[in-house]
Amino acid sequence: QEIRKVVQALEQTAREILTLVQGVHQGPGFQHIPKKCQKAREHFSTVRTQMESLKTKFPADQYYRFHEHWRFVLQRLVFLAAFVVYLESETLVTREAVAEILGIEADRERGFHLDIEDYLSGVLTLASELARLAVNSVTAGDYSRPLRISAFINELDSGFRLLNLKNDSLRKRYDGLKYDVKKIEEVVYDLSIRGLNKEATVGAGGEK
């Protein structure tokens, strides 16, 4: 019961962060990315406090016995942390960095930790969000962003291909990545057909 209460509080904080960062998809949202990321970072301090509370609700060696209670919200929080880091630096957040943002351990031996499969699930959700961002970037007149998103997602896809995914739900989520790659490729192709990718390269400081 006590675990459920803390998990509900975490879910509420996750919803608040999601509402905040999804504002980047709206027209003027692109101009406010740094401000939105900063506000999201402030919400993550609440997440860390809630995680501290969650750790006290069960014996440290029984993590996997209760894992199902917080698995979904933890994956959602991984995605949100990964999205904020991507918006800030256009890089993939490491598992260690996510664990630090959430105030938990990366190493299983050290107690309440970020399970590798929860991390990977969160990263796959990021891919879907970036596919959506690529489409909305064009609507907002930002033609260089889809090219950068495409390069990032292709690299992510190459990384996942190296993994031997045995977990069924993770495997299904990975299958969805192919559609995200295809969706982004279509956006880039459309820009190319309309000659907007050249404009994007020049705008990004290239010489093509």
Side-chain angles (χ1 to χ4, degrees):
Q1 194 62 40
E2 285 189 29
I3 290 174
R4 200 168 290 134
K5 259 187 213 162
V6 185
V7 168
Q8 281 170 349
L10 276 166
E11 284 168 349
Q12 179 56 38
T13 310
R15 276 194 292 274
E16 287 165 15
I17 300 172
L18 184 65
T19 303
L20 189 63
V21 294
Q22 287 205 324
V24 303
H25 292 290
Q26 269 72 55
F30 285 89
Q31 291 138 35
H32 306 303
I33 284 176
K35 201 184 283 183
K36 287 184 184 298
C37 290
Q38 194 184 340
K39 276 197 172 174
R41 290 269 183 185
E42 288 165 18
H43 280 295
F44 277 114
S45 65
T46 306
V47 170
R48 286 192 288 277
T49 306
Q50 289 164 339
M51 285 294 185
E52 281 305 317
S53 173
L54 185 57
K55 290 174 197 175
T56 65
K57 307 297 180 199
F58 65 96
D61 59 351
Q62 294 192 17
Y63 177 91
Y64 284 103
R65 183 181 164 195
F66 298 103
H67 181 230
E68 278 303 310
H69 287 285
W70 59 74
R71 184 170 63 95
F72 176 75
V73 72
L74 196 54
Q75 290 174 4
R76 168 68 59 94
L77 288 165
V78 170
F79 148 62
L80 292 168
F83 192 35
V84 168
V85 169
Y86 179 83
L87 290 172
E88 288 171 341
S89 61
E90 297 194 359
T91 57
L92 176 63
V93 72
T94 62
R95 182 168 155 234
E96 289 72 22
V98 177
E100 198 177 319
I101 291 168
L102 302 182
I104 57 180
E105 301 293 340
D107 188 351
R108 182 177 177 170
E109 274 66 53
R110 297 179 67 177
F112 194 105
H113 63 285
L114 176 54
D115 184 79
I116 185 77
E117 288 178 355
D118 290 339
Y119 166 71
L120 293 173
S121 284
V123 168
L124 287 168
T125 306
L126 171 68
S128 301
E129 193 71 15
L130 291 181
R132 188 179 159 210
L133 190 64
V135 174
N136 291 329
S137 301
V138 178
T139 312
D142 184 346
Y143 304 130
S144 63
R145 193 179 292 271
L147 307 184
R148 301 196 304 274
I149 290 176
S150 178
F152 176 84
I153 292 290
N154 280 318
E155 212 173 305
L156 194 65
D157 185 41
S158 302
F160 269 95
R161 281 172 200 267
L162 299 173
L163 300 175
N164 179 19
L165 299 175
K166 295 192 176 78
N167 176 311
D168 284 349
S169 67
L170 200 56
R171 178 84 229 176
K172 278 180 199 145
R173 297 287 292 279
Y174 170 61
D175 288 342
L177 181 59
K178 295 173 205 158
Y179 297 105
D180 296 327
V181 170
K182 191 166 179 287
K183 191 174 175 181
I184 296 164
E185 277 173 357
E186 282 168 4
V187 173
V188 172
Y189 178 68
D190 188 47
L191 287 173
S192 170
I193 291 292
R194 290 154 63 191
L196 294 170
N197 60 341
K198 294 185 186 72
E199 195 180 305
T201 313
V202 173
E207 293 180 6
K208 288 177 190 172

